[in-house]
Amino acid sequence: MIAATLAALKEYRKVATVVVCAGVAAAFYIQWQTAKDAGARAAADRASLIAAADGTCLALNSQFRPGGVRREQWGMACLNEARRLGRIEGDLAKGDAAALIAALDERMGKEAADAALAAAMSKRAVDAVARMEAADAAVENDRVGAGWACAVNDLGGLRAPGC
C-alpha cells in the first residue's frame, strides 16, 4: 500500500506540486484579505474613537485636536481639563466644599467691589462732564478763569490743589 502511494506520488509529482502551491497561495490570499479587512476596521475604529474624543472634549470646553499641535500631543489639553474637573469633583465629594465656597465668595466679593468702583467712576465722569459744561457756559468774552481750568483738569482726571 505504501509502495503504491509512493509510486502514485512519483507519477503525479507535478500535479501534487501545483496543488500544494495553489493551497499555499490560497492561504496567503486569505491572510492578505483578512489583514486588509482588519486595516479597514482599524481605520474605522480610529475615526470613531477620534470623533468620540472630540465630542467628549467639547463637553469639557476643551479641544482634542487643537490646531498647531503634533498628533502625539492630541488630547493633552483635554486630559488636563478632565483632571482639573476631577479634582474639583473629588474636593466636593471629600467635603472640601467650604474651601470652594470661600473662594467663590472671595471672587464674588471682588466682582462686587469692581462693580461698585465702576459705578463710582462713572458717576464721577458724569459729574466732571456736567461741571465742564457749566464752566463752558460761564465763559464771557472768550476769557476763562480758574474755575474753567479746574473743570478741564477734573475732566481729565487731574486734581489741582486749589480747585
Side-chain angles (χ1 to χ4, degrees):
M1 167 103 174
I2 294 176
T5 305
L6 287 175
L9 276 176
K10 196 175 203 181
E11 186 177 328
Y12 297 109
R13 174 176 68 209
K14 291 181 182 176
V15 173
T17 303
V18 169
V19 168
V20 169
C21 288
V24 170
F28 281 143
Y29 179 76
I30 290 170
Q31 283 184 339
W32 176 65
Q33 286 296 336
T34 304
K36 190 169 77 169
D37 291 344
R41 277 194 312 271
D45 289 347
R46 185 180 312 115
S48 174
L49 287 172
I50 289 173
D54 283 338
T56 302
C57 291
L58 185 62
L60 294 172
N61 291 326
S62 185
Q63 290 183 343
F64 180 69
R65 299 178 287 174
V69 174
R70 292 188 329 241
R71 188 176 190 156
E72 296 84 22
Q73 296 297 315
W74 283 2
M76 292 309 294
C78 182
L79 177 63
N80 291 336
E81 183 66 14
R83 285 179 178 159
R84 185 185 71 80
L85 292 174
R87 280 193 302 274
I88 290 172
E89 187 69 25
D91 289 345
L92 286 172
K94 284 191 293 187
D96 291 342
L100 292 172
I101 290 171
L104 183 61
D105 285 343
E106 178 185 347
R107 189 183 89 205
M108 292 185 76
K110 288 179 181 177
E111 288 175 358
D114 288 347
L117 180 62
M121 295 299 284
S122 177
K123 182 179 180 333
R124 184 173 171 268
V126 168
D127 292 345
V129 168
R131 280 193 299 279
M132 186 69 228
E133 291 295 329
D136 275 342
V139 172
E140 294 178 5
N141 298 328
D142 289 333
R143 292 190 181 193
V144 295
W148 187 87
C150 285
V152 168
N153 285 340
D154 193 29
L155 187 62
L158 304 172
R159 303 282 175 153
C163 292

